[in-house]
Amino acid sequence: LVDLVESGGGSVQAGGSLRLSCVVSEFSPVTTCIGWFRQAPGREGIAVIDVDGNTAYAESVKGRFTISQDNAKNIVYLQMNSLKPEDTARYYCARDCDTVEDGLRVRFASWGQGTQVNVSA
């Protein structure tokens, strides 16, 4: 079972925008906490949302990235604006954190294959 499938990565110039999508399998158990982390090479939790709509962001992306979810479609989005070269990484959608704070610490139960984002100067 492919639980989480990310898409939307690509190459952009600094200052540009991308929107990542994460489709959660309809056959997966319901999760109450889901988010995104990136790896390049170390891991950094960047945006998390829980079932009540509470969100948390890493300081490095606060004010530029926005996480949202469409519960009807089982999709979680990450809108990324004002991208910087240091945002270059592989981005992963991940699920099943206990709290949004745990998500920022990359304490998830599982994650997808990731999607690559490259930002050039």
Side-chain angles (χ1 to χ4, degrees):
L1 172 68
V2 179
D3 192 25
L4 303 167
V5 179
E6 304 95 333
S7 63
S11 297
V12 295
Q13 290 189 324
S17 298
L18 285 173
R19 189 177 77 160
L20 305 184
S21 299
C22 172
V23 177
V24 182
S25 171
E26 61 180 321
F27 301 108
S28 299
V30 174
T31 183
T32 58
C33 185
I34 191 166
W36 296 86
F37 69 89
R38 61 190 180 187
Q39 185 153 8
R43 286 183 177 180
E44 180 187 17
I46 55 173
V48 189
I49 188 168
D50 70 13
V51 66
D52 295 323
N54 298 308
T55 58
Y57 297 92
E59 287 297 323
S60 59
V61 306
K62 199 172 289 185
R64 301 187 297 122
F65 291 11
T66 303
I67 188 171
S68 62
Q69 56 187 356
D70 183 333
N71 292 324
K73 297 181 180 178
N74 288 338
I75 301 176
V76 178
Y77 300 102
L78 183 68
Q79 178 65 45
M80 306 188 296
N81 298 329
S82 302
L83 283 161
K84 305 175 181 179
E86 50 264 44
D87 294 319
T88 294
R90 190 163 187 85
Y91 284 71
Y92 295 84
C93 178
R95 58 174 287 154
D96 299 333
C97 39
D98 287 335
T99 65
V100 293
E101 291 77 17
D102 277 346
L104 286 186
R105 299 186 189 102
V106 200
R107 293 176 182 169
F108 296 102
S110 63
W111 46 90
Q113 295 298 308
T115 185
Q116 182 67 33
V117 171
N118 296 313
V119 185
S120 58

